[in-house]
Amino acid sequence: MIIDVVIVNYNSTKYSLRAIESFKSKTFRHDLNIIVVDNASNDNTKEDIDSYRTKIPNLVYFRWDENNGADRNFIKVVELASGEYCWLMGSDDLIEDGSINYVLNFLEKNIY
């Protein structure tokens, strides 16, 4: 994997699912993982993400037992990442059409 898209979530499952959908629907290559770190949400985040894990094999989910604040969550997503690059996102962030392929093509042309 070249890029890991990492999403930090706290009680925002509907936004996280929209973010995941935006990546899923715009990804035409398999050069990325999607990692969700759940900051001890008390909504349906775990169940909702689990339902997506059957559809998206490169979706990784981690849940804290207690709220650890934003900074610790961003550190955790980087720890879980296995790609060369991390694309950090909030749970309510969406991507524009073509942006994943644009970034991957840019990296291939300018870095590799």
Side-chain angles (χ1 to χ4, degrees):
M1 298 292 168
I2 294 173
I3 297 178
D4 288 334
V5 175
V6 294
I7 302 168
V8 174
N9 178 82
Y10 178 70
N11 287 339
S12 55
T13 185
K14 73 177 183 178
Y15 298 114
S16 292
L17 294 179
R18 282 187 15 202
I20 290 168
E21 267 304 316
S22 77
F23 275 98
K24 181 180 160 230
S25 66
K26 294 173 181 70
T27 303
F28 304 108
R29 299 166 46 172
H30 301 285
D31 296 77
L32 59 91
N33 284 321
I34 300 172
I35 302 170
V36 177
V37 170
D38 180 0
N39 197 17
S41 296
N42 54 22
D43 62 4
N44 294 328
T45 297
K46 181 180 182 337
E47 295 80 12
D48 291 342
I49 299 298
D50 281 346
S51 72
Y52 269 73
R53 291 170 73 187
T54 59
K55 302 174 203 173
I56 306 171
N58 53 339
L59 175 60
V60 176
Y61 175 73
F62 175 86
R63 183 181 192 287
W64 293 104
D65 291 332
E66 61 184 18
N67 189 313
N68 285 283
D71 291 342
R72 182 66 188 120
N73 283 276
F74 284 116
I75 292 168
K76 186 63 177 178
V77 293
V78 173
E79 289 173 358
L80 293 171
S82 60
E84 295 177 57
Y85 301 96
C86 288
W87 188 336
L88 299 172
M89 299 186 69
S91 59
D92 61 347
D93 293 339
L94 302 176
I95 60 163
E96 295 292 324
D97 288 338
S99 59
I100 293 172
N101 287 331
Y102 176 84
V103 169
L104 292 172
N105 289 331
F106 178 87
L107 290 172
E108 287 177 354
K109 290 177 185 173
N110 296 290
I111 306 296
Y112 297 105

